[in-house]
Each structure stands twice: as structure tokens, then as C-alpha cells.
Amino acid sequence: MSADCIFCSIVDGDIPARTVHETDDVLAFLDANPLARGHTLVIPKSHAQHVGDLDDGLASDLFAAVTELTPRVQAAVDADGANVGINDGEAAGQEVPHVHVHIIPRFEGDGGAPLHAVGGDRPDLSDDELDAIAADVSAALDG
Ligand code: AMP
């Protein structure tokens, strides 16, 4: 629990939300400024700012809720698909510093874009550079 976190306040019931799903560890509610009908946020109840801050059990519970909710949200609003994603860190557009997974229903012809649209200018990477990045990520996991 973080004192000035708006999503912690929702978990505590101090701020109202349109809750759609709740377990001991996870809460899902409608986004207050939806990008589409049914735009839903899924959060761990305990405060964590970044996905990397979640322990394995909570990460598993969170993703289980996302996989359960996504098709049901789509069905509820008669959507044709959904984008599921996390803005992790300010540079990625995270405004609320409490991990939350966006489930954004998508409709044929809605004028939206795929997740690929969130990136900046695409880097032009050689095979050697891609190999080096893969090695660096792999080494970071081993470290
Ligand atoms: P992000 O940019 O990923 O941090 O997104 C934060 C999301 O939280 C935005 O889509 C907001 O519309 C949403 N949001 C902020 N405050 C509330 C609230 N009190 N209830 C529901 N959604 C909220």
C-alpha cells in the first residue's frame, strides 16, 4: 500500500471504481477515461510500480486474471479483438505508478492501431547488433 497511490486508494475502497472482477490478490475495474467500450485495468492489490517488482506468484495471479478477463470483456462489449498491454515506466507512458494491465477491446474499423504503434523511430539494426542485444538480455537474466 502506498499512501498517495490512486490505485491503492481504489483497492482500499477510498476511491470508487467500476469493479468487474476481484480475487484476494487482484482487482479489475473499468478505466475512467476509456479508449474503447469495456477498457479494463487489471492490477495487483499490493503496491508495485514496475512489472519487474512483482514476485512470481503475484505475476502469475495477475496474468491469470488477464487471460480470464480478456475474452469475457470482449464478449461483454461484442468486440472483435483486444490489445493487452502495460505501460512500464514513465518513458513508456506510465502515468499511474502502480502496475496495471490495460485490456482495450478493439472493433473492426475503429480507427485504432496495433501495439507496434507505441514505439518511437524504428532502429535499423544489423544482424551483429541483434545478436549482441540477444546476448546482453540473456546475460542479464543469468546475472
Ligand atoms: P497509464 O498511462 O498506463 O499509467 O494509464 C493509467 C490509466 O489509469 C489511464 O488510462 C487512466 O484513464 C486510468 N485511471 C486514472 N485514474 C483512474 C481511476 N480513478 N479509475 C479508473 N481509471 C483511472
Side-chain angles (χ1 to χ4, degrees), residues 74-85:
Q74 285 186 57
V77 297
D78 205 17
D80 302 306
N83 293 114
V84 178

Side-chain angles (χ1 to χ4, degrees), residues 6-7 29-33 41 87 93-96 100 102:
I6 193 164
F7 288 174
F29 51 89
L30 294 188
D31 194 293
N33 298 291
L41 302 176
N87 295 323
Q94 184 177 12
E95 293 180 354
V96 177
H100 49 283
H102 293 263

Side-chain angles (χ1 to χ4, degrees), residues 5 21 25 28 30 65 75 80 91 110 126 129 136 142:
C5 171
H21 179 66
D25 301 308
L30 294 188
D80 302 306
D110 64 11
S126 66
E129 288 170 313
D136 286 346
D142 293 338

Side-chain angles (χ1 to χ4, degrees), residues 93-142:
Q94 184 177 12
E95 293 180 354
V96 177
H98 182 132
V99 174
H100 49 283
V101 182
H102 293 263
I103 300 173
I104 305 169
R106 296 296 303 274
F107 304 85
E108 298 290 350
D110 64 11
L115 283 179
H116 295 73
V118 302
D121 295 334
R122 283 196 185 214
D124 186 16
L125 297 168
S126 66
D127 285 346
D128 284 348
E129 288 170 313
L130 289 168
D131 289 344
I133 292 167
D136 286 346
V137 173
S138 188
L141 283 168
D142 293 338

Side-chain angles (χ1 to χ4, degrees), residues 15-101:
I15 291 179
R18 292 185 173 85
T19 297
V20 299
H21 179 66
E22 181 169 11
T23 69
D24 287 346
D25 301 308
V26 172
L27 186 68
F29 51 89
L30 294 188
D31 194 293
N33 298 291
L35 293 172
R37 282 188 297 121
H39 184 172
T40 298
L41 302 176
V42 191
I43 68 169
K45 286 185 173 176
S46 60
H47 186 81
Q49 182 166 356
H50 298 294
V51 283
D53 299 333
L54 299 175
D55 66 37
D56 289 350
L58 193 49
S60 175
D61 291 345
L62 184 64
F63 200 70
V66 170
T67 57
E68 188 178 357
L69 274 161
T70 299
R72 288 171 173 79
V73 170
Q74 285 186 57
V77 297
D78 205 17
D80 302 306
N83 293 114
V84 178
I86 298 173
N87 295 323
D88 193 43
E90 273 186 30
Q94 184 177 12
E95 293 180 354
V96 177
H98 182 132
V99 174
H100 49 283
V101 182

